[in-house]
Amino acid sequence: MTATAGRDAGSAARHESDAVGPAPLAMVVGPTRLAPSVLRRLADQPPPITDRRFLAEFREALELLRPVLGTTAAETFLVPGSGTAGMESLAASLLDPARPVLVLSTGMWGERWHELCTGLGLPSRVLRAAPGHGLDLDEVAACLRDRPYQAVLLTHVDSSSGVRADVATVTALAHRHGALSLVDGIAAAGAEEVRQDDWDVDAYLTSPPKALSGPGGLFLVALRAAAVDVLTDRGWTPRGYSLDLGRWLPVTRTLAAGDFAYFQTPPGALVSALAESLRLIVAEGPERIRRHETLAVRLRTGLAAADLRLFTADAADRAHGVTVLRTPAGVDAARLVAAVERHGVVLQAGTYPTAARRTVRIGHLGNHTAADVDRTLAALTAALAETARAEA
Ligand SMILES: Cc1ncc(COP(=O)(O)O)c(C=O)c1O
């Protein structure tokens, strides 16, 4: 689906914007560009929630999520809500409010894990990586030796720092110390290799509007047996109601068998559009990850040629779908983003907690092409030349 879907998605985006002039190219972390066949699903009449074809498509989406996350063993869930709702759902459903958790932070999304745990009344300790760096695994091991934690909460790709975490090693460390591993893969799945079974990740969370090139409004969860056991054997009362995966479990099992079950009304068009985006991803196969890697290299080679430095210090830690660059000395991120937009490309100012004004994020997730990357580099180069002239 690679090149063709990318081209089709591009022409669909242009067509839609005809009424208001040429659409800028959005190189953002999300929402990302949808393929035409996914867009068409969003325009369909929502089916009755008992409709046999709808139930078959729901079941297919639950099944197709497994190969995308590298699992045959996990139970999958599609739940209405944002990515953040998904993070809250994991924490509220799987974590005993009386026992501490260890949050590993590589940026804004680790901080969000920490804030939402605090909001739920869960005692949490945060271990922060140095800005722009990956986690120090010796420090992680030392923390886990220090005292018992029920779970380690991790971000696979933190889109504020561009850092990809070593999920396999962290999960192995967590398990050695009797802790579950809960992974936010919202900016990772679809662009990075995910091997939930091989890595033994207990709970993997993602959401469609990033590298899965799907619609916003659902979060997707895959739970391996140890996490499912928590849901069925909790000796504590979970916080909240609608996000409780314990209540969703019998429903998802029935839907996975192709039968009707109700807990909350599923958004029909979103489920159908998601099923289509997962079909495209599965059809593309492992080439999808290589394609993201190749685009990342193309972009970073161009940035280096333009003398731009990356925020993510070590090449081995750099994610495939997000690039965070440092603005040149004296250039404010918001000003640079505005200047690039005048050249037809939308980027995002930084969100890394202590470097927001000095970093810019470029999303190259999902259906982007080499031509999009080249257009981005050209817009950035032109914007930087303008900024330099303005300062001269
Ligand atoms: C890594 C990561 N986690 C969580 C989220 C939150 O997702 P949402 O904005 O849908 O709540 C994002 C959004 O960009 C993200 O990049």
Side-chain angles (χ1 to χ4, degrees):
M1 82 116 197
T2 325
T4 323
R7 270 200 305 275
D8 288 349
S11 60
R14 278 193 295 281
H15 175 72
E16 281 187 342
S17 64
D18 281 352
V20 288
L25 168 65
M27 297 294 286
V28 298
V29 177
T32 56
R33 185 193 284 160
L34 303 182
S37 60
V38 175
L39 276 175
R40 278 195 293 277
R41 297 319 195 273
L42 292 174
D44 286 346
Q45 285 291 348
I49 59 176
T50 50
D51 180 85
R52 299 306 315 173
R53 275 168 311 182
F54 172 62
L55 292 174
E57 201 158 40
F58 204 116
R59 173 190 188 169
E60 193 187 346
L62 286 169
E63 273 171 10
L64 289 173
L65 184 58
R66 290 207 188 91
V68 175
L69 301 185
T71 177
T72 53
E75 298 207 49
T76 47
F77 300 66
L78 318 182
V79 180
S82 65
T84 303
M87 296 169 75
E88 185 158 351
S89 173
L90 290 194
S93 306
L94 296 171
L95 302 175
D96 177 348
R99 295 166 58 214
V101 298
L102 177 63
V103 172
L104 303 180
S105 176
T106 47
M108 165 178 178
W109 301 105
E111 300 309 312
R112 183 157 294 188
W113 269 133
H114 178 51
E115 279 169 29
L116 75 85
C117 285
T118 307
L120 290 168
L122 269 157
S124 65
R125 170 173 177 189
V126 195
L127 179 66
R128 294 186 173 89
H133 287 265
L135 296 160
D136 179 331
L137 295 171
D138 292 335
E139 268 180 26
V140 175
C143 276
L144 285 163
R145 273 196 305 272
D146 214 26
R147 60 184 286 199
Y149 293 99
Q150 61 174 319
V152 171
L153 276 51
L154 177 68
T155 314
H156 192 173
V157 167
D158 194 303
S159 47
S160 71
S161 61
V163 168
R164 177 185 50 229
D166 180 349
V167 173
T169 305
V170 170
T171 298
L173 285 171
H175 287 174
R176 198 170 305 152
H177 295 275
L180 292 174
S181 84
L182 275 51
V183 178
D184 164 3
I186 287 169
E192 306 288 345
E193 186 173 52
V194 183
R195 287 163 48 199
Q196 185 176 12
D197 285 353
D198 291 347
W199 301 341
D200 203 9
V201 174
D202 300 298
Y204 195 92
L205 163 74
T206 190
S207 90
K210 306 273 189 293
L212 299 180
S213 316
L218 293 167
F219 63 84
L220 318 176
V221 174
L223 300 185
R224 281 174 53 81
V228 174
D229 288 349
V230 172
L231 295 182
T232 52
D233 301 336
R234 292 178 299 204
W236 41 272
T237 308
R239 305 280 155 105
Y241 180 84
S242 67
L243 296 175
D244 179 16
L245 295 174
R247 292 178 193 275
W248 278 107
L249 183 63
V251 176
T252 203
R253 284 181 169 166
T254 309
L255 290 165
D259 293 322
F260 171 68
Y262 170 79
F263 175 36
Q264 295 159 48
T265 304
L270 298 188
V271 172
S272 171
L274 171 69
E276 175 61 11
S277 57
L278 293 173
R279 271 180 218 119
L280 295 175
I281 292 169
V282 170
E284 188 176 1
E287 168 55 23
R288 185 179 183 88
I289 309 302
R290 282 194 289 276
R291 176 168 64 80
H292 277 86
E293 198 174 359
T294 306
L295 280 189
V297 169
R298 189 181 186 98
L299 175 66
R300 290 165 194 166
T301 306
L303 294 173
D307 264 346
L308 286 163
R309 286 170 55 225
L310 300 189
F311 182 67
T312 321
D314 188 339
D317 293 327
R318 289 178 193 147
H320 289 160
V322 189
T323 296
V324 182
L325 57 92
R326 292 180 185 276
T327 58
V331 176
D332 179 73
R335 244 180 67 219
L336 181 58
V337 167
V340 175
E341 190 160 354
R342 286 195 293 277
H343 290 275
V345 177
V346 180
L347 308 180
Q348 291 169 307
T351 49
Y352 189 86
T354 54
R357 297 190 59 183
R358 290 177 287 112
T359 53
V360 166
R361 291 172 300 145
I362 307 177
H364 32 101
L365 308 139
N367 289 325
H368 283 128
T369 62
D372 295 332
V373 165
D374 294 348
R375 199 173 146 193
T376 305
L377 287 167
L380 247 174
T381 311
L384 283 168
E386 267 172 27
T387 320
R389 272 199 302 278
E391 274 166 15

